[in-house]
Amino acid sequence: MPDFDKHRVKKNDRVNLSKTETDGKKIESDRAACEELCESLRTELISLQARLYSEGKQKLLVVFQAMDAGGKDGTTRSVFQGANPQGVVVTSFKRPSDEELAHDFLWRVHKAVPGNGMIGVFNRSHYEDVLVVRVHDMVPESVWRPRYEFINDFEKMLTASGTRILKFFLHISKNEQKRRFQERIDNPEKRWKFDPADLEKRKFWNAYEKAFEDMLEKCSTTECPWYIVPGDQNWYRDLVVTGVIVETLKQMNPQYPAPPDVKGVVIE
Ligand code: ATP
Ligand code: MG
């Protein structure tokens, strides 16, 4: 079993994304073995999720952030395939509506956190408010700077209320982003995903990198850790994310509720 914990950002770690590996091949060379392992981990995930749902006492929140074309959609699809859809709620955070903008930045997020028995998946999240918002000066620094602490407090409160939180930064290289954008243009089935605005954001690569580094350094805690997942190879990325989720669900150790007494029950 690969050591997934090496991708976790520990307290006081300094993060330098341009020096952090994006290439899964350089970490695990045996793709077929990784895929096989991922498949068996997925089977475990499915049965742990069934227990979490039936127990109905704990909840898991999984957060995905990445550069554009970083693989948030693909990871969500692949990691949770086969899980009971009733127990998994995916929320994609887009540009805030007028109503959302009229409230504090956590208002729309808090409404979307998972309830008992559920796995909540955030495709983008409250972290956009210290990423896109920061990079493009949508609010002054005096507004976004305190948000790291507000986020840590918010996540601490969710943890104290029975929610386990796992956060994955899907880390792709600038070259891989180019390859994926080009693929969106060339492949008719992917063209709908091509967004010219993404090319504008690509020009801000370095500023995004800095914002991601700050997020990873300031908001990875022992209880609510960030993982930097090498994302250039889907098969390595999916393995790490599935593996970390399975380890966490095992620690949560959900149990089927005590069954009713069926002694002497006869079905006519
Ligand atoms: P994909 O990554 O698969 O293309 P997407 O998440 O980019 O999907 P889009 O509708 O293309 O979905 O983009 C959503 C946009 O909303 C992103 O550019 C994101 O940065 C932006 N966004 C999300 N949250 C906020 C926020 N709080 N403030 C401003 N912009 C935000
Ligand atoms: Mg997009």
Side-chain angles (χ1 to χ4, degrees):
M1 183 81 76
D3 170 23
F4 302 127
D5 199 55
K6 67 170 175 268
H7 299 301
R8 182 167 59 85
V9 180
K10 283 102 188 160
K11 217 172 152 50
N12 301 325
D13 271 1
R14 294 308 309 265
V15 177
N16 183 336
L17 285 176
S18 63
K19 296 214 171 93
T20 307
E21 194 54 75
T22 58
D23 187 348
K25 271 199 312 297
K26 297 217 178 110
I27 300 168
E28 289 292 332
S29 52
D30 192 342
R31 174 177 178 168
C34 285
E35 285 176 341
E36 201 175 310
L37 177 58
C38 193
E39 207 44 55
S40 74
L41 285 167
R42 185 178 293 116
T43 309
E44 280 192 77
L45 190 152
I46 290 168
S47 95
L48 284 159
Q49 186 236 342
R51 275 161 48 185
L52 187 83
Y53 184 77
S54 70
E55 180 193 67
K57 289 186 181 156
Q58 312 177 69
K59 42 243 175 196
L60 175 67
L61 173 61
V62 177
V63 173
F64 292 119
Q65 289 286 165
M67 295 278 193
D68 291 302
K72 303 184 300 325
D73 291 8
T75 311
T76 304
R77 208 167 43 234
S78 146
V79 170
F80 296 101
Q81 93 193 36
N84 178 1
Q86 273 201 123
V88 182
V89 175
V90 182
T91 308
S92 296
F93 290 94
K94 308 282 183 187
R95 258 171 233 101
S97 66
D98 287 346
E99 188 189 22
E100 287 166 350
L101 282 174
H103 292 80
D104 67 88
F105 78 104
L106 291 172
W107 182 72
R108 66 174 183 164
V109 179
H110 203 170
K111 280 198 296 190
V113 301
N116 281 336
M118 303 295 287
I119 297 180
V121 180
F122 283 1
N123 183 337
R124 301 188 192 268
S125 65
H126 41 302
Y127 285 97
E128 290 292 321
D129 290 278
V130 289
L131 294 167
V132 67
V133 169
R134 165 179 169 169
V135 169
H136 300 285
D137 292 321
M138 292 174 183
V139 299
E141 178 164 357
S142 58
V143 174
W144 60 255
R145 181 66 65 185
R147 285 180 174 168
Y148 298 103
E149 235 179 291
F150 296 151
I151 288 174
N152 285 339
D153 287 345
F154 173 62
E155 293 184 359
K156 204 168 167 183
M157 184 275 292
L158 293 177
T159 306
S161 318
T163 309
R164 282 296 289 265
I165 304 178
L166 293 171
K167 301 173 291 195
F168 298 98
F169 171 63
L170 311 177
H171 184 31
I172 57 164
S173 66
K174 201 171 177 190
N175 243 342
E176 178 63 15
Q177 187 190 55
K178 182 177 176 184
R179 201 189 63 75
R180 292 184 187 186
F181 283 168
Q182 192 60 51
E183 200 182 344
R184 288 181 181 183
I185 293 172
D186 296 341
N187 181 345
E189 281 177 15
K190 294 194 174 172
R191 201 165 297 152
W192 65 275
K193 290 206 81 170
F194 179 71
D195 180 355
D198 289 351
L199 300 184
E200 281 310 303
K201 278 161 88 201
R202 181 174 163 84
K203 293 183 187 154
F204 290 83
W205 183 274
N206 292 344
Y208 270 104
E209 220 168 44
K210 175 83 187 82
F212 277 121
E213 286 169 355
D214 269 1
M215 166 195 95
L216 293 162
E217 286 179 1
K218 292 179 195 300
C219 299
S220 191
T221 62
T222 314
E223 286 181 326
C224 307
W226 271 107
Y227 291 80
I228 303 176
V229 184
D232 285 354
Q233 272 74 31
N234 299 354
W235 51 268
Y236 185 72
R237 173 198 77 194
D238 293 348
L239 172 64
V240 173
V241 175
T242 312
V244 171
I245 293 176
V246 166
E247 276 174 9
T248 304
L249 283 169
K250 276 187 178 161
Q251 284 168 16
M252 292 167 76
N253 194 21
Q255 302 295 323
Y256 287 115
D261 186 4
V262 290
K263 220 188 301 151
V265 171
V266 178
I267 301 169
E268 313 236 317

